[in-house]
Amino acid sequence: MKRILFLLLCVTVLSSCSKEEKKVENDFPLHMEVGNFDGINQDGEAFSFSKLKGKVWVADFMFTNCDTVCSPMTANMAMLQRKLADEDVDAHLVSFSIDPENDQPGVLKDYASGVGADFSNWDLVTGYKQEFIESFANKSFMAAAAKLEGSNQFVHSTSFYLVDEKGIVVQKYEGVSEPPYEQIVKDIKSLQ
């Protein structure tokens, strides 16, 4: 009798483990809900969380005066945009500036134009207070974002974040060195 009960318990445990709760394989331990934000994009148009409701999107944090990782990250986001277009995958890209004082709309547009950005599905967002973006990055993405004392540089995350249609961060990827483009595209497809 004990063997039968043990066998039933094992079968129950194994069958429950095989059920997939999420479409995206997740090694990102926390599912964070993106908070509300209001800003303006590279064209000076209002841009807020409500414009992304019901959409799958990829976010990152950057600033145009960055002298290290932002240029390759922005180029990598442009490459991701091209790969999504090649696969006919509908997803939105959002780059949040962590230097809103310097990164005015025209500055952002020129910066992203330099890597061939297509602004039909990629918004570079600014127009909020420095304190807001630091708190927003920390709370919504568990991402670092802070101005370095006595410098024009900022500490910030170098990841790309996949956000589902409900506004939940479901995955995080390397954004600077060899982003996993195929995996990102696959994960986006699985959410649609």
Side-chain angles (χ1 to χ4, degrees), residues 25-164:
E25 278 187 41
N26 195 354
D27 59 9
F28 191 50
L30 301 173
H31 282 43
M32 289 138 334
E33 187 172 341
V34 176
N36 288 326
F37 62 86
D38 289 301
I40 53 176
N41 70 8
Q42 70 283 343
D43 294 317
E45 299 169 345
F47 190 84
S48 66
F49 181 74
S50 64
K51 293 200 176 196
L52 297 167
K53 285 191 178 178
K55 295 181 182 180
V56 174
W57 51 290
V58 177
D60 73 343
F61 295 89
M62 49 69 69
F63 65 107
T64 62
N65 283 337
C66 178
D67 58 16
T68 57
V69 296
C70 297
S71 290
M73 282 179 62
T74 304
N76 290 339
M77 189 67 92
M79 176 60 76
L80 175 60
Q81 185 179 46
R82 288 189 288 277
K83 289 189 178 290
L84 290 168
D86 290 347
E87 294 282 328
D88 199 27
V89 175
D90 182 28
H92 205 86
L93 306 177
V94 180
S95 293
F96 292 99
S97 170
I98 60 166
D99 183 7
E101 187 175 317
N102 178 66
D103 288 343
Q104 297 301 308
V107 173
L108 289 171
K109 189 160 194 170
D110 289 346
Y111 185 76
S113 293
V115 295
D118 173 357
F119 298 111
S120 65
N121 70 330
W122 185 359
D123 286 282
L124 289 88
V125 186
T126 188
Y128 31 68
K129 299 281 187 199
Q130 181 65 41
E131 298 78 24
F132 168 79
I133 194 60
E134 290 178 10
S135 175
F136 175 76
N138 293 174
K139 290 178 183 174
S140 293
F141 294 88
M142 293 212 44
K147 185 171 173 89
L148 293 173
E149 279 292 316
S151 172
N152 68 347
Q153 296 298 293
F154 295 79
V155 174
H156 64 93
S157 168
T158 60
S159 297
F160 291 165
Y161 297 89
L162 178 59
V163 183
D164 71 11

